Amino acid sequence: MKKYFNADLWDSFRISGSIATFLYISFIGVPILALLYAAISDEDFWGSLSNPMVYKALYLSLYTSAISMFIIVVIGTPIGYLLAHNRKGIFRIVDILIELPIVLPPVVAGIALLMAFGNNGIMGKFLSDIGISLPFTTVAVIFAQIFVAAPFYVRSARIGFQGVPRTYEDIAQTLGSTPMETFWRISLPLTWQALLGGLALSWARALSEFGATIMFAGSIIGKTQTLPLATLRAMETDITFAITISVLALFLSMAILVFLGLVATRSTDRRSI
């Protein structure tokens, strides 16, 4: 009777899960299909793709996000490794501070960056004295992207490094490997997929960043106007143009997710051979 009850309960749970999955996929898919349908059915859609504003925003988004991702990976990987091996005391506070931008409203993040690096900010005054002005520049876009996107990579890196059995690292060092050699030969290869997943989330977040960017960098065509900011500007004058930029941003985000997913799959297949 108990086994029958458990099996019946499990079947009900699976059915409920299937229904919930269908509803959630529909909730995500319907708006995306509606956006694609609006683009295809609009006669001016293809003509809008030739607008110079589109290419400037696309180039700026790719250029700034690529730089941001390079910095995030270089800095975030050792941070994730450090936090994975130190979970007590001050490191718990550091972990919370690093993940704070995930839940912080982007507009608040932009104001915080402005108060720190603005011309009258805490660091901005010093930078202004030596002739460096960050607000409303391309560098400000990169700062905003790193601020909001880095926590996603660091979090994935920390979880990935935590999943590496400590015995593997201990054995490697017992056999004569230095801590750095152990990191490159043992820890890093075993967390490759987690790092790629974090990179995908972080890159997608950087590409979609809006609030912090507009507050700290503004929306200057060809200088600070990324795809999300260009979409807002287009919405004020031409809905077709806004749809065009939105579709472009959609395919760009999907391309990044698919590409990094394929890289992770191939790396897994090579290990299994």
Side-chain angles (χ1 to χ4, degrees):
M1 182 68 181
K2 185 176 181 180
K3 291 184 179 180
Y4 175 78
F5 175 78
N6 289 338
D8 187 58
L9 182 63
W10 176 245
D11 289 339
S12 300
F13 181 76
R14 291 180 59 186
I15 294 173
S16 300
S18 299
I19 295 174
T21 301
F22 173 77
L23 292 175
Y24 182 64
I25 294 299
S26 299
F27 179 74
I28 297 175
V30 170
I32 293 176
L33 291 176
L35 175 63
L36 295 176
Y37 176 78
I40 296 174
S41 60
D42 196 320
E43 297 179 355
D44 298 328
F45 171 74
W46 297 108
S48 299
L49 286 174
S50 60
N51 192 312
M53 181 178 172
V54 175
Y55 296 103
K56 289 180 180 180
L58 176 61
Y59 171 78
L60 186 64
S61 292
L62 291 173
Y63 173 72
T64 55
S65 64
I67 296 176
S68 298
M69 289 308 102
F70 175 78
I71 296 174
I72 288 173
V73 170
V74 171
I75 297 177
T77 303
I79 292 176
Y81 183 80
L82 178 66
L83 293 176
H85 290 75
N86 299 275
R87 300 295 299 158
K88 297 180 180 180
I90 191 173
F91 292 100
R92 295 294 296 272
I93 300 176
V94 172
D95 193 15
I96 293 174
L97 289 176
I98 288 176
E99 294 189 355
L100 181 60
I102 295 178
V103 297
L104 193 68
V107 174
V108 176
I111 295 177
L113 288 170
L114 197 60
M115 294 300 100
F117 301 105
N119 293 333
N120 295 319
I122 296 175
M123 296 294 296
K125 292 180 180 179
F126 171 75
L127 294 174
S128 297
D129 291 341
I130 60 176
I132 299 176
S133 179
L134 293 180
F136 309 106
T137 64
T138 304
V139 176
V141 176
I142 297 173
F143 270 46
Q145 291 176 348
I146 293 175
F147 190 92
V148 301
F152 292 92
Y153 180 81
V154 174
R155 181 182 177 86
S156 296
R158 174 177 60 78
I159 294 174
F161 285 123
Q162 283 178 338
V164 177
R166 295 295 295 271
T167 53
Y168 291 178
E169 298 175 340
D170 294 338
I171 291 173
Q173 295 185 34
T174 301
L175 294 176
S177 296
T178 64
M180 182 60 70
E181 290 174 339
T182 301
F183 171 79
W184 285 105
R185 296 179 180 179
I186 303 296
S187 303
L188 192 61
L190 292 177
T191 58
W192 189 247
Q193 285 185 309
L195 296 179
L196 282 179
L199 179 61
L201 291 175
S202 184
W203 203 341
R205 181 65 186 88
L207 286 172
S208 64
E209 164 49 33
F210 175 83
T213 304
I214 199 170
M215 294 299 298
F216 185 47
S219 182
I220 306 172
I221 298 176
K223 189 176 183 180
T224 66
Q225 190 179 87
T226 56
L227 284 174
L229 273 63
T231 304
L232 178 65
R233 176 71 66 86
M235 280 291 294
E236 298 174 352
T237 57
D238 188 352
I239 185 63
T240 299
F241 191 30
I243 292 174
T244 301
I245 300 176
S246 299
V247 171
L248 189 61
L250 171 64
F251 280 107
L252 181 60
S253 299
M254 291 180 61
I256 291 174
L257 292 175
V258 171
F259 172 74
L260 293 178
L262 289 175
V263 172
T265 302
R266 288 184 178 181
S267 64
T268 301
D269 293 341
R270 288 176 182 176
R271 285 188 204 143
S272 61
I273 295 176

